[in-house]
Amino acid sequence: MAKQNKKKNQALNLAEQYQGCKRASFWRRLGAYIIDLFTIGFVIAFATALALLVVNIVAKLGGIDLSLYQDSSDYLGHSMWFLAYISLLIIAFFIYFWSCSGQTIGMKLVQLRVQNSDGSNISMTQAAIRLATSAFGLGSFMALLKDRNAFQDLWAECEVVVLPKSLNTWALFKKVEGKEK
């Protein structure tokens, strides 16, 4: 019982520490955005290679007729399921990282965290709202204003803060509401 209370107090203390962080500037957000673009690029490249492998295997088995296309990449380029696959992959990337640890890889590297005003992780719903209202990062231009809250943060009722180095450890990267996964 004492061990459980200790973990609960550590989680509460961590949320209190997150609460005291200042809001992130536009330039830090931009740095995280650029790093995340490269990360997403690698994820998309891997997912595309996997899709090309599947298409080639299915074509060899006779499940797909590629005669109307130059090659399997042309087939993927004209396929709505491939567009949906890549779109869902990007959406899942951001929703997962924002709701589970509050940080994408880019945010981790520039010491940013998206959180509720009480220091807790945002929900998956909040992450989806944040992603839908970000306008591909253009909503962050509002962070140039004095209170530094971006458009997507206002809609999702959250904030992006700068973490001190003591709170930006990889051990905390997997924390969900104070619990380790």
Side-chain angles (χ1 to χ4, degrees):
M1 185 69 174
K3 190 175 185 179
Q4 189 177 27
N5 285 340
K6 184 178 178 183
K7 280 187 177 183
K8 198 178 255 189
N9 287 339
Q10 285 176 340
L12 182 61
N13 189 21
L14 188 60
E16 288 172 353
Q17 289 176 14
Y18 285 146
Q19 254 181 313
C21 298
K22 67 177 184 163
R23 287 203 176 138
S25 70
F26 170 77
W27 300 108
R28 276 196 184 249
R29 288 170 182 260
L30 181 63
Y33 183 73
I34 291 169
I35 293 168
D36 284 337
L37 284 178
F38 282 106
T39 305
I40 283 290
F42 289 125
V43 170
I44 290 172
F46 180 77
T48 301
L50 184 64
L52 285 170
L53 179 67
V54 169
V55 165
N56 283 325
I57 290 171
V58 172
K60 293 282 185 200
L61 296 173
I64 298 174
D65 180 21
L66 295 178
S67 65
L68 299 173
Y69 304 96
Q70 291 178 350
D71 55 16
S72 54
S73 63
D74 187 34
Y75 172 78
L76 286 180
H78 290 88
S79 174
M80 289 304 289
W81 70 265
F82 179 69
L83 177 63
Y85 165 64
I86 295 297
S87 298
L88 286 173
L89 189 67
I90 293 168
I91 291 167
F93 173 86
F94 284 106
I95 289 176
Y96 173 77
F97 280 107
W98 286 340
S99 64
C100 287
S101 67
Q103 298 176 297
T104 59
I105 294 168
M107 292 173 81
K108 179 73 180 156
L109 292 175
V110 296
Q111 296 178 267
L112 297 181
R113 182 175 193 272
V114 62
Q115 64 184 21
N116 289 312
S117 59
D118 66 356
S120 64
N121 290 336
I122 64 173
S123 67
M124 287 192 171
T125 304
Q126 284 176 292
I129 291 169
R130 189 171 192 275
L131 185 61
T133 58
S134 69
F136 303 104
L138 294 176
S140 293
F141 280 108
M142 282 183 63
L144 289 168
L145 301 174
K146 188 171 178 135
D147 87 351
R148 296 183 175 174
N149 219 357
F151 183 76
Q152 61 268 23
D153 300 330
L154 293 172
W155 275 91
E157 298 176 350
C158 60
E159 61 186 5
V160 176
V161 296
V162 178
L163 295 177
K165 289 185 186 210
S166 62
L167 290 177
N168 196 39
T169 65
W170 287 101
L172 298 174
F173 193 61
K174 294 295 261 181
K175 293 275 183 174
V176 180
E177 299 298 326
K179 299 176 188 171
E180 282 197 29
K181 276 191 164 181

